[in-house]
Amino acid sequence: MKHERGLLIVLSGPSGVGKGTVRKALFECKDTTLQYSISMTTRSPREGEVNGVDYFFTTKEDFKQRIAENKFLEWAEYVGNYYGTPIEYVEKTLQEGKDILLEIEVQGALQVKKAFPEGIFIFLAPPSLKELQNRIETRGTETEDLIRNRMNAAKEELDMMDAYDYVVENDKVDSACDRVNAIITSEHLKRERVSNYYKRMLEAE
Amino acid sequence: MKHERGLLIVLSGPSGVGKGTVRKALFECKDTTLQYSISMTTRSPREGEVNGVDYFFTTKEDFKQRIAENKFLEWAEYVGNYYGTPIEYVEKTLQEGKDILLEIEVQGALQVKKAFPEGIFIFLAPPSLKELQNRIETRGTETEDLIRNRMNAAKEELDMMDAYDYVVENDKVDSACDRVNAIITSEHLKRERVSNYYKRMLEAE
């Protein structure tokens, strides 16, 4: 449906699960209309980095002022510099009817969810959970302690999952990519969104 | 995800929208695992029709008894015969982890929704609504009365839409089919379903 507001797609999951690889593959899909969420940072631009393309570069003073004014969907400090997702750029892109993808670790995603609950939160699950499953199902080849440790790790991951709308297993990058695209297609077809579109159209009679 | 309970997909929409054509195309997709919802009827089998494949054939007495026992997701009487969707077959198929497609007119779909709210309700929208939109947007070529009549028809369709989960425009059969398949893929990735799967797996420790 045209003229519709875009969707904020949050791709997240545990460290090492392959978020960056799946994100890259999503942008390599032909015909993709996904926009990249541009972060703001206080670190210096590296050679070739362009303001407003790779990052929005700013000063620490300005960044702190923006934090005080709630101008970030999420932010964090790493090694003396600030990084954050500016609401203004996200809002502008959504208003233009474009979907925007934010790839982010779990803690950041939970911050985004508080600030922007209408986002679509996708948890990328590691295939090792499935391996664990297979091991548990076949049984007996691992020590009881090792199985217990893995179960605990899986349980921690499950707790993080509960804040998300969808779980996509990253078994193969192409499959994960197809699943994320199916979610985006499907979300655009939700009756609440489409019927508002028809209603707006009819009200414009 | 394996071992998961199947989904009941209800494909519905106004008369003439092309439900049958889209349903047929869905079953012609390669690799489809969709099952067809088999209706029960009191009419006599036609040449070549097989009980349990085309229909479940039964007597009026038995059918009425089943109505009294709430054994249908929906039922209706046409030209002296009864037609209905038996819950038992649907339940059995879902338990086997297979998705089942029910193609049905709007009144029937609303009955199914009462009996089985966890179904996925897809409203197939006619492209004529879009044509109407174009006419309204370009304006002035139609009489005011005609525009008003069409607007009223569109508003009645909108009211029916509100009971559904998704709206798929049937502009081209292949596109509509792709959208329905994206919805089915996406619904299987919903966190509620997948995390239950993981939890069952972990509880089986």
Side-chain angles (χ1 to χ4, degrees), chain B residues 79-91:
Chain B
V79 211
N81 273 307
Y82 291 95
Y83 297 80
T85 305
I87 291 175
E88 197 184 341
Y89 175 75
V90 170
E91 266 299 338

Side-chain angles (χ1 to χ4, degrees), chain A residues 128-157, chain B residues 201-205:
Chain A
S128 59
L129 202 62
K130 202 171 180 182
E131 284 170 30
L132 176 69
Q133 173 202 338
N134 290 336
R135 281 175 194 172
I136 290 163
E137 281 174 351
T138 54
R139 276 179 192 140
T141 55
E142 304 272 9
T143 70
E144 214 170 297
D145 273 6
L146 189 53
I147 289 176
R148 196 171 309 279
N149 283 347
R150 289 181 190 225
M151 294 297 287
N152 287 339
K155 276 171 190 169
E156 276 174 35
E157 286 183 334
Chain B
M201 186 265 289
L202 288 172
E203 278 162 9
E205 179 187 10

